[in-house]
């Protein structure tokens, strides 16, 4: 009988394996590998904070240093999840404060974080280094002040897309003068003024600062000051990029940007005044990422800017760029990998800019590495989709949002089924897809047949019957997240594919035709599935069992039913009693 | 049919693929089929191209579902939308090309519900029709149903950022610096829209607001603010009611038996009733564009929407002297609803 290597050797070997997938695979080889692996795992990613409890996590992985947690479902971004639904960070931090005194990193998305929780973090983890709060809520600058004051080795404080109230206006001053460790500071959505002197001093003494993303309270002249103190920046988010046009400010900006030889990412750019744009030109050739999605400047200025960014890999922009701008992009930026075009007037009934499907077709043709697209537009055709699919079989993320629901192919007035069908057929590595426009069950047939690597599918105002949902659930082998709103999908497809749901992270269905009876059945039959009915109008069993529920959120879980359900969330467990809060 | 639509890898050998990796240019001289720049292929060419679909369950097992009929069975009445007075009703004349194509639609899969396609021709009413006929809007507290919650899928802060830029007075200055000649040229060249492209200034003139206008609301004594969608209301009464509900209803649950408490904010303030008529301990105030704090309810609703930046539910004791003649108004309002 051959013995394997001593534990220490295996542990050393495992320490080179970082991907979660590989780590999980290692732990399945045999019991001893499972045991060794769990003791040396340092990083964990939990895609749904309710899939597992803090206690279970700590029991299995006693030595974590980095925890990533995601809370609310994606549609919470669009106000479809009621306030106070859950995803509170506190219980996690309370448990980890005991178990992981050496925790270094917390990366959170769509979680509710309170000031008290932030304070607890700042006191519990002596070597805390990285705090990333993406699309979170629930705290003010009081909590941030605690983090600033107490985390002596803080390297990253990243509040991307998290809105923060600022009652006091002074949190930056809480970074002690001895703090020089910051590498990344992002407070773009922080409301309120910022103490410029405190910020300038902080930036000046943190010589390793690589990322600095400011909020809108920072004007142009202060920006220039900051850039002069931090010419080593790699990632910059400006504040307001406007003001009276003054020659001395302009030249100050020009020399400030000229000093930034390492700049690769540029964002912010709120309220851009075109006259100040040329100050950016010197850094353009070095840029790989440019976010102009708040810049309400017109196509001419956008073209001038973008044409100088030959090394651009990622562009976010408003539809002011128009088809002509996208043609210029396709001609200049041959390394482009990701494009996002946002609507400048999403609720307007008429087109306000000359942006059509042609722009996307141009970019798909001119940019061979393009693989990630988010495109808002008003018209689309099957022909264009087919062209895009053939041009870019390397597409991995394709999110198309035709602003008006049920919009057909504008050339033929037919549904867009075959166009999207072409996308899934040709783009064999497609991982994420969002549909829009007029769509029947046929498109789901195509998706179920071809989209074998698809992990996330977003559907709205589409389909005719349960058959559509059935195609997706039975065909998409790699599906992890499915979110559906306003589609005529109901009980049959759901119940026929109940076991599929345990292989996925989550399913969201709102304004569909799923009955409360079916939800109950699903909850009773599937042990490892939490079925939540979210209904603010009252107890679902006060209506007949066949009444459709407002919202259904079903997710796999080993944690059992959660204990922090608000009054409007109804769940069912195997005792077939409806559990109320 | 195959030949027309070969995959890039196979087709390029014959055409302009040339020597190796480079991207073939858009103007394909010798009929290169590897990349197609314009949407020239007609639908029939590729309808048959998609592989045979594997068999799906016999329809007897999955009878065509009840499913909501999203086309016609919607609400009968159109609620007036916030921008009804500004929108222009388009007629068929605005869309000559689309009308002529509509009659010769090819015979591929037709929409199951057989809904008509007027939405292309009259987008203004189409928007309303869709919003009304869509399934019940989720009860997120919005009073109006002339908008669809969460559609299009854009984060609220993005919308507010656009709105505030378009409303800001300084943007008028900017527009003089912005050349507009690229607009009309493109419109003629493409011919895809009705030549009615609008620049930013048009939107501003018409004062059109988006369907959602979320503003922050803070209440004295409550650390965390909330957000409310002002466009979901069309008068002060419903707004005040919504705010009262928002800041009074306790929604957290605590299960002490398991020792795992939910750590949330419980509103402890006394019930703020009748925020508008001054009979409660709190009054509703707002910060306007100039940064002044004003009492809510004085100006017409539309004007209020245009100037409000955020709301604050203030203790009455602090609100003295907020607006001139506060005491007088207070007495008057007790008798007169707004």
């Amino acid at each position: 009988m051959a013995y394997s290597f001593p534990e220490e050797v295996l542990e050393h070997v495992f320490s080179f394996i970082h991907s979660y997938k590989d780590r999980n695979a290692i732990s399945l080889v045999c019991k001893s590998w499972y045991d060794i692996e769990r003791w040396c795992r340092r990083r964990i990613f939990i895609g749904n904070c309710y899939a597992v409890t803090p206690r279970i996590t700590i029991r299995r992985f006693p030595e974590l240093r980095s925890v990533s947690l995601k809370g609310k479902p994606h549609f919470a971004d669009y106000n479809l999840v009621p306030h106070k639904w859950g995803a509170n960070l506190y219980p996690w931090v309370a448990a980890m404060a005991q178990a992981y005194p050496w925790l270094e990193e917390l990366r959170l998305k769509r979680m509710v974080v309170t000031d008290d929780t932030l304070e607890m973090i700042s006191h519990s983890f002596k070597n805390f280094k990285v705090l990333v709060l993406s699309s979170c809520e629930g705290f003010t600058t009081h909590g941030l002040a605690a983090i600033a004051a107490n985390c002596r080795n803080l390297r990253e404080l990243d509040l991307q897309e998290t809105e923060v109230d600022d009652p006091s206006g002074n949190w930056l001053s809480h970074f002690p003068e001895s703090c020089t460790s910051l590498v990344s500071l992002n407070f773009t959505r922080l409301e309120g003024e910022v103490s410029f002197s405190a910020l300038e001093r902080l930036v000046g003494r943190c010589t390793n600062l690589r990322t600095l993303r400011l909020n809108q309270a920072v004007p142009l002249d202060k920006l220039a000051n900051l850039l002069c103190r931090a010419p080593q920046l790699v990632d910059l988010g400006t504040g307001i990029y406007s003001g009276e046009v003054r020659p001395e400010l302009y030249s100050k900006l020009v020399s400030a940007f000229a000093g930034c030889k390492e700049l690769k990412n540029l964002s912010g750019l709120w309220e851009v005044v075109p006259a100040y744009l040329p100050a950016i030109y010197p850094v353009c050739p070095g840029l790989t990422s440019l976010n102009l999605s708040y810049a309400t400047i017109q196509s001419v200025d956008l073209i001038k800017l973008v044409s100088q960014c030959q090394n651009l890999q990622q562009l976010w922009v408003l539809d002011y760029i128009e088809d002509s701008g996208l043609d210029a992009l396709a001609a200049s930026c041959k390394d482009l990998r990701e494009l996002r075009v946002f609507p400048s007037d999403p609720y307007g009934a008429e087109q306000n800019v000359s942006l059509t499907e042609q722009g996307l077709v141009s970019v798909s043709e001119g940019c061979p590495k393009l693989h990630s697209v988010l495109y808002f537009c008003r018209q689309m055709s099957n022909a264009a989709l087919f062209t895009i699919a053939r041009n870019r079989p390397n597409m991995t993320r394709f999110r198309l949002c035709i602003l008006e629901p049920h919009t057909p192919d504008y050339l033929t007035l037919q549904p867009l089924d075959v166009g999207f069908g072409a996308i899934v057929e040709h783009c064999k590595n497609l991982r994420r897809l969002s549909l829009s426009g007029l769509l029947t069950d046929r498109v789901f047939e195509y998706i179920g047949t071809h989209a074998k690597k698809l992990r996330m599918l977003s559907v709205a105002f589409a389909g005719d019957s349960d058959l559509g949902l059935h195609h997706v659930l039975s065909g998409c082998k790699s599906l992890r997240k499915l979110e559906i709103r306003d589609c005529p999908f109901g009980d049959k497809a759901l119940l026929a594919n109940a076991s599929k749901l345990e292989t996925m992270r989550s399913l969201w269905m709102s304004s569909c035709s799923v009955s409360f009876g079916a939800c109950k059945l699903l909850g009773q039959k599937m042990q490892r599935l939490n079925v939540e009915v979210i209904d603010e109008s009252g107890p679902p069993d006060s209506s007949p069992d066949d009444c459709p529920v407002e919202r259904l959120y079903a997710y796999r879980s080993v944690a059992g039913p959660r204990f922090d359900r608000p009054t409007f969330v109804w769940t069912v467990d195997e005792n077939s009693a409806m559990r109320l809060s | 049919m195959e030949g027309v639509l070969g995959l890039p890898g196979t087709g390029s050998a014959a055409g302009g693929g040339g020597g190796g990796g480079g991207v073939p240019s858009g103007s394909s001289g010798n009929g290169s089929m590897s990349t197609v720049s314009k949407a020239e292929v007609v639908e029939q060419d590729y309808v048959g191209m998609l592989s045979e679909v594997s068999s799906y369950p016999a329809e007897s097992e999955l009878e065509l579902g009840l499913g909501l009929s999203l086309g016609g069975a919607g609400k009968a009445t159109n609620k007036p939308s916030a921008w009804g007075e500004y929108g222009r009703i388009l007629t068929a004349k605005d869309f000559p090309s689309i009308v002529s194509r509509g009659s010769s639609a090819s015979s591929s899969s037709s929409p199951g519900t057989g809904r008509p396609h007027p939405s292309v021709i009259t987008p203004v009413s189409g928007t309303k029709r869709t919003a009304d006929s869509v399934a019940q809007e989720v009860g997120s507290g919005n009073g109006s149903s002339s908008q669809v919650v969460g559609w299009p899928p854009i984060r609220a802060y993005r919308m507010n950022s656009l709105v505030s830029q378009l409303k800001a007075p300084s943007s008028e200055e900017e527009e003089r610096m912005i050349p507009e000649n690229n607009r009309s040229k493109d419109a003629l060249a493409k011919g895809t829209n009705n030549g009615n492209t609008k620049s930013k200034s048009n939107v501003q003139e018409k004062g059109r607001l988006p369907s959602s206008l979320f503003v922050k609301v803070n209440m004295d004594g409550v650390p965390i603010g909330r957000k409310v969608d002002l466009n979901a209301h069309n008068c002060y009464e419903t707004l005040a009611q919504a705010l009262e509900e928002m800041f009074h209803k306790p929604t957290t649950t605590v299960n002490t038996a398991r020792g795992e408490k939910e750590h949330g904010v419980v509103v402890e303030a006394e019930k703020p009733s009748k925020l508008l008529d001054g009979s409660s301990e709190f009054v509703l105030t707002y910060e306007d564009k100039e940064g002044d704090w004003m009492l809510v309810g004085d100006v017409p609703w539309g004007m209020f929407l245009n100037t409000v930046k955020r709301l604050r539910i203030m203790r009455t004791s602090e609100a003295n002297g907020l607006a001139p003649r506060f005491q007088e108004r207070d007495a008057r309002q007790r008798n007169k609803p707004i």
Side-chain angles (χ1 to χ4, degrees), chain B residues 292-306:
Chain B
D292 299 323
W293 286 92
M294 321 276 285
L295 196 63
V296 164
D298 284 340
V299 301
W301 177 257
M303 199 182 302
F304 168 69
L305 286 187
N306 268 327

Side-chain angles (χ1 to χ4, degrees), chain B residues 29 66 70 88 99 119-120 140 176 204 216 225 263 265 294-295 317 333:
Chain B
L66 1 135
L70 296 178
R88 180 169 79 92
V99 170
S119 57
V120 179
S140 61
R176 278 177 236 133
Q204 219 177 346
K216 263 269 168 69
H263 188 83
V265 171
M294 321 276 285
L295 196 63
S317 46
Q333 280 172 358

Side-chain angles (χ1 to χ4, degrees), chain A residues 173-365:
Chain A
S173 321
H174 287 255
F175 279 106
E177 291 300 317
S178 56
C179 169
T180 57
S181 50
L182 271 185
V183 170
S184 170
L185 179 62
N186 176 344
F187 55 95
T188 49
R189 296 257 139 240
L190 192 128
E191 311 199 350
E193 304 304 314
V194 143
S195 157
F196 298 127
S197 56
L199 181 57
E200 279 173 25
R201 285 200 312 276
L202 182 64
V203 167
R205 63 181 184 265
C206 293
T207 52
N208 289 322
L209 195 67
R210 291 283 173 276
T211 298
L212 178 64
R213 294 197 182 195
L214 309 165
N215 70 351
Q216 293 181 59
V218 181
L220 274 178
D221 58 333
K222 299 297 178 195
L223 173 68
N225 292 349
L226 290 166
L227 286 181
C228 289
R229 275 161 217 258
Q232 77 281 4
L233 282 179
V234 172
D235 185 317
L236 171 68
T238 71
I240 293 234
Y241 204 77
S242 81
E244 270 173 37
V245 189
R246 283 160 25 215
E248 70 275 12
L249 176 53
Y250 180 78
S251 30
K252 202 170 148 194
L253 259 184
V254 167
S255 58
F257 271 110
C260 294
K261 309 251 183 262
E262 314 283 333
L263 207 57
K264 294 221 169 324
N265 303 342
L266 184 60
S267 58
L269 297 167
W270 286 289
E271 297 188 21
V272 173
V273 162
Y276 278 122
L277 273 181
I280 297 181
Y281 291 168
V283 300
C284 285
L287 288 181
T288 54
S289 166
L290 181 56
N291 183 351
L292 290 165
S293 62
Y294 299 103
T296 52
I297 50 178
Q298 303 302 313
S299 183
V300 165
D301 297 304
L302 286 166
I303 291 177
K304 271 194 234 157
L305 193 57
V306 154
S307 318
Q308 305 191 46
C309 303
Q310 298 90 5
N311 289 312
L312 204 61
Q313 295 179 16
Q314 180 186 68
L315 176 67
W316 292 20
V317 72
L318 285 171
D319 58 8
Y320 288 127
I321 194 168
E322 302 193 327
D323 288 344
S324 55
L326 291 176
D327 287 341
L329 181 70
S332 320
C333 304
K334 294 304 186 185
D335 207 18
L336 195 73
R337 323 229 170 151
E338 176 178 321
L339 173 67
R340 296 196 190 189
V341 179
F342 294 95
S344 53
D345 186 19
Y347 299 104
E350 302 148 15
Q351 193 139 339
N352 63 322
V353 291
S354 182
L355 179 107
T356 70
E357 81 283 4
Q358 273 312 122
L360 185 57
V361 171
S362 293
V363 180
S364 77
E365 172 195 323

